[in-house]
């Protein structure tokens, strides 16, 4: 595989995957669900702090074992092949569905927002799914954006990283634009009252107190912080001269930067106009700008439309590397373990993800809504398993070279295990604000059943080895896996 990614490339891959375009589409819902901008800001900063130990765990393991799809390797070395497969399979679900989801986000913005300015975009209706209309021209435009991301990922990690750097700068410009408008047009008085039950265009406040509002938003944050795991998934493509000690800090920096970004985002939009008026529109971040200045609105709309390409690009690359690792472990057919001799990219995984991504715009904006909570659960479950693997590896492989170590040692790792476990419990325990509903549980169990069936069938087709090979612990210098 190509060895070209720098520390800045890894930062933009993770940061771009985290922030994406959710802040444009969902900032109003965060305020509604939390009962105000203050509750939403507190929830997002707590979410970032909760995930910091987990980010440090990823930094330690990736610096010690820098291979693509490392999560599969970490869990396999500590809890065995079956648990490794379940973890990798769920993470593949959580990451892969975000590729078509982002394609749908592009088509939705084109049809709903650009369609108001150019009615021709909604002139050819194809069909409706779950009450959502699918139009020809927005679908074609979204397919064009998706095709570009797919082509860049087929060309190699360097091309995909260059695209990510550009998209990250565009998103930062959009945030600076919102901050400037807030300073000129708004003020702190607009974030009052601190807590209020309100009705938004697509959601309402179910919490009766500010504390309950914070919890309601907090359990959503794993979905909006999902993406920092895309950094270690491509570690095998790091430049030869990379400082692995600094690499361990990149993940935590991406989380902190994203937490700061979200807080500034919520405050900026919540203070442009009184937040109780702001949340009444379907896409309030754009609607309020439209009333202030049409040119500012168009600039933000363009940024919001290309924004989904960032997470689509990051999750595309990360998911293909997870499948590559599972192919190397024999958990998926051997074709998934093959890389293109020229570009160094996983061919079979790229083809599968291309099909999934291209299918996104045809599904309609309401088709993948139940998958968002499933994605959050799959992501945080994998993170929790990695945390427990890191703790166990400190006991079973104390001599493994670790260029970067979790601050606080085993105590810091234990905090990561605790944080991940608490978030998982909030999502699965009945009565929690974020517990999965019947449809979401059916998706989780169906995905698990399909995965275990594939694993069982693949095992039957694979001839048994003549003798069980001796298991030798890997080290950072192990030649079986490129650095």
């Amino acid at each position: 595989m190509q060895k070209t990614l720098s520390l800045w490339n890894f930062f933009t891959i993770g940061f771009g995957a985290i922030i994406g375009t959710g802040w444009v589409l969902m900032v109003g819902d965060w305020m509604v669900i939390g009962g105000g901008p203050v509750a939403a800001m507190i929830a997002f900063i707590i979410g970032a702090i909760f995930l910091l130990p987990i980010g440090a765990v990823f930094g330690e393991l990736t610096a010690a074992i820098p291979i693509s799809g490392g999560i599969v390797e970490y869990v396999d070395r500590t809890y065995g092949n079956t648990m490794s497969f379940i973890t990798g399979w769920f993470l593949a679900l959580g990451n892969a569905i975000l590729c078509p989801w982002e394609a749908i986000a592009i088509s939705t913005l084109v049809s709903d927002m650009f369609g108001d300015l150019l009615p021709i975009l909604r002139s050819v209706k194809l069909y409706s799914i779950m009450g959502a209309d699918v139009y020809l021209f927005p679908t074609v435009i979204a397919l064009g954006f998706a095709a570009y991301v797919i082509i860049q990922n087929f060309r190699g990690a360097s091309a995909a990283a260059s695209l990510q750097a550009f998209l990250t700068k565009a998103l930062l410009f959009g945030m600076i634009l919102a901050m400037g408008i807030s300073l000129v047009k708004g003020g702190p008085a607009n974030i009052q009252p601190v807590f209020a039950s309100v009705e938004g265009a697509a959601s309402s406040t179910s919490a009766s107190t500010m504390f309950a509002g914070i919890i309601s938003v907090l359990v959503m944050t794993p979905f909006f912080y999902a993406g920092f795991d895309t950094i270690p998934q491509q570690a095998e493509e790091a430049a030869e001269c990379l400082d692995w000690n600094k690499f361990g800090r990149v993940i935590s920096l991406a989380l902190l930067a994203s937490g700061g970004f979200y807080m500034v985002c919520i405050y900026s939009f919540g203070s442009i106009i009184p937040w109780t008026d702001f949340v009444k529109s379907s896409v309030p971040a754009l609607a309020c700008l439209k009333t202030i200045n049409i040119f500012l609105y168009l600039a933000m709309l363009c940024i919001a439309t290309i924004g989904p390409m960032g997470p689509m690009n990051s999750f595309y690359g990360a998911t293909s590397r997870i499948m590559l690792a599972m192919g190397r472990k024999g958990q998926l057919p051997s074709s998934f373990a093959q890389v293109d001799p020229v570009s160094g990219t996983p061919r079979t995984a790229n083809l599968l993800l291309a099909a999934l991504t291209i299918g996104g715009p045809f599904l309609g904006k309401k088709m993948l809504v139940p998958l968002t909570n499933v994605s959050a659960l799959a992501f945080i479950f994998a993170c929790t398993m990695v945390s427990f693997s890191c703790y166990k590896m400190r006991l079973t492989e104390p001599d493994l070279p670790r260029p970067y170590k979790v601050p606080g040692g085993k105590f810091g790792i234990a905090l990561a295990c605790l944080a991940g476990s608490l978030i998982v419990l909030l999502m699965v325990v009945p009565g929690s604000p974020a517990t999965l509903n019947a449809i979401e549980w059916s998706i989780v169990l169906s995905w698990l059943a399909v995965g275990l069936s594939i694993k069982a069938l693949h095992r039957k087709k694979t001839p048994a080895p003549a003798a069980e090979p001796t298991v030798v612990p890997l080290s950072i210098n192990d030649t079986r896996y490129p650095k």
Side-chain angles (χ1 to χ4, degrees), residues 137-452:
F137 295 120
T139 299
V140 171
I141 293 171
L143 288 174
F145 281 107
Y148 182 73
V149 172
I150 292 168
I151 290 171
Q152 293 300 96
N153 277 274
F154 269 94
R155 288 178 58 192
S158 180
S162 298
L163 171 62
Q164 195 68 23
F166 165 75
L167 294 171
T168 299
K169 292 173 184 176
L171 291 169
L172 289 173
F173 175 76
M175 194 67 265
I176 293 171
L177 181 64
M179 288 172 58
I181 297 169
S182 173
L183 291 173
V184 174
K185 294 286 185 180
N190 289 329
I191 67 173
Q192 300 293 331
V194 174
F195 177 82
S197 295
V198 296
E199 187 82 24
S203 57
S204 60
T205 309
S206 59
S208 57
T209 65
M210 184 174 174
F211 176 77
I214 293 171
I215 296 298
S216 297
V217 179
L218 176 63
V219 294
M220 297 171 58
T221 57
F223 178 80
F224 296 101
Y225 281 117
F228 70 82
D229 63 304
T230 60
I231 297 174
Q233 301 304 347
Q234 302 183 55
E236 195 169 316
E237 289 145 287
E240 294 287 355
C241 58
L242 192 81
D243 185 334
W244 287 102
N245 182 274
K246 292 181 179 179
F247 175 90
R249 299 188 179 99
V250 166
I251 301 173
S252 297
L253 286 174
L255 275 170
L256 288 173
S258 300
F261 183 96
Y262 282 135
M263 289 190 68
V264 171
C265 165
I266 296 167
Y267 176 81
S268 297
F269 283 110
S271 61
I272 290 177
I273 59 175
W275 76 267
T276 50
D277 296 329
F278 173 82
V279 298
K280 293 178 181 178
S281 304
S282 57
V283 187
L286 295 174
C288 76
L289 293 182
K290 192 174 183 180
T291 62
I292 295 173
N293 187 291
I294 188 64
F295 295 107
L296 294 176
Y297 166 75
L298 288 174
M300 187 66 77
L301 181 55
C302 291
I303 292 170
T305 303
I306 66 172
M309 294 174 67
M312 185 194 300
N313 182 49
S314 291
F315 285 112
Y316 194 106
T319 309
S320 65
R321 272 61 177 184
I322 294 169
M323 293 181 175
L324 170 68
M326 295 179 74
R328 286 172 167 175
K329 285 289 179 184
Q331 298 170 352
L332 291 177
S334 58
S335 59
F336 282 89
Q338 298 174 4
V339 296
D340 187 274
V342 177
S343 65
T345 57
R347 290 179 294 186
T348 304
N350 273 355
L351 288 171
L352 176 60
L353 288 169
L356 289 173
T357 305
I358 289 173
F362 294 100
L363 299 177
K365 61 184 178 182
K366 292 185 179 180
M367 182 62 73
L368 294 180
V369 170
L371 293 179
T372 55
N373 279 339
V374 174
S375 176
L377 176 61
F379 166 71
I380 200 64
F381 170 77
C383 290
T384 305
M385 284 303 305
V386 171
S387 300
F388 278 101
S389 297
C390 184
Y391 191 90
K392 188 173 181 179
M393 209 174 290
R394 280 290 189 100
L395 303 175
T396 58
E397 301 184 49
D399 298 327
L400 179 72
R402 292 174 170 87
Y404 171 82
K405 293 184 178 181
V406 175
K410 293 178 184 177
F411 177 74
I413 302 172
L415 287 178
C417 297
L418 177 62
S421 300
L422 286 175
I423 298 174
V424 170
L425 287 174
L426 284 171
M427 303 190 75
V428 300
V429 173
S432 167
T435 187
L436 302 189
N437 59 34
I439 294 175
E440 292 159 352
W441 272 119
S442 66
I443 295 171
V444 170
L445 296 176
S446 298
W447 182 257
L448 177 60
V450 170
L452 292 176

Side-chain angles (χ1 to χ4, degrees), residues 28-79:
D29 291 293
W30 298 340
M31 296 182 199
V32 170
I33 294 170
V38 176
M41 286 190 289
I42 293 173
F44 268 91
I45 195 62
I46 291 175
I49 293 171
F50 255 68
L51 292 172
L52 270 179
I54 297 177
V57 162
F58 272 91
E60 175 174 317
L61 290 177
T62 307
I65 312 171
I67 61 173
S68 291
I71 289 176
V72 177
E73 172 67 21
Y74 312 148
V75 180
D76 181 51
R77 290 172 66 159
T78 49
Y79 293 101

